[in-house]
């Protein structure tokens, strides 16, 4: 955790955690009614403007590799045969839990 670099309420309202996330202003405008807004804003605003707000940043690194072209067909045929076996067992009255 580290101190927030934002101490302006207007800047805080117009900031989002990542490009696809809505800003806090948008969330408040679209999801809060007037009463909820009056209850929510004063406490958070005071905390942001005091300069004591903390930030937490997380980073994840992912790696991937391409699956061999023959594997999906083996998995698909296994899944199909398993599904078919379960259908046959249900029809014959020998249903077992998955």
């Amino acid at each position: 955790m580290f101190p927030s670099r934002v101490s302006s309420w207007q800047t805080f309202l117009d900031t989002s955690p990542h490009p696809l996330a809505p800003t806090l202003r948008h969330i408040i405008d679209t999801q809060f009614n007037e009463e909820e807004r009056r209850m929510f804003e004063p406490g958070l605003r005071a905390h942001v403007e005091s300069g004591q707000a903390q930030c937490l940043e997380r980073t994840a690194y992912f790696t991937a590799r391409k699956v061999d072209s023959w594997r999906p067909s083996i998995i698909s045929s296994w899944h199909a045969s398993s599904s078919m076996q379960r259908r046959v067992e249900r029809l014959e009255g020998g249903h077992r839990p998955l």
Side-chain angles (χ1 to χ4, degrees):
M1 288 184 65
F2 54 92
S4 174
R5 290 174 255 156
V6 177
S7 60
S8 161
W9 177 245
Q10 296 305 316
T11 302
F12 188 77
L13 285 175
D14 293 324
T15 302
S16 68
H18 60 81
L20 299 177
T23 64
L24 182 58
R25 182 184 308 275
H26 176 76
I27 293 169
I28 290 173
D29 289 346
T30 60
Q31 303 296 316
F32 286 36
N33 62 34
E34 283 301 317
E35 181 183 350
E36 292 168 333
R37 193 174 296 155
R38 281 194 303 270
M39 289 172 39
F40 178 75
E41 282 188 27
L44 185 58
R45 183 177 189 155
H47 188 65
V48 169
E49 290 178 341
S50 74
Q52 295 180 7
Q54 297 278 317
C55 289
L56 178 63
E57 190 173 298
R58 308 260 180 185
T59 304
Y61 297 95
F62 295 94
T63 60
R65 65 184 176 95
K66 188 174 181 178
V67 177
D68 295 333
S69 61
W70 60 270
R71 287 185 183 257
S73 62
I74 290 173
I75 293 169
S76 296
S77 63
W78 173 82
H79 179 69
S81 65
S82 298
S83 297
M84 184 61 76
Q85 182 64 33
R86 284 193 296 271
R87 281 189 216 122
V88 169
E89 288 172 356
R90 270 185 254 148
L91 290 172
E92 292 176 347
H95 176 64
R96 62 179 183 200
L98 298 175

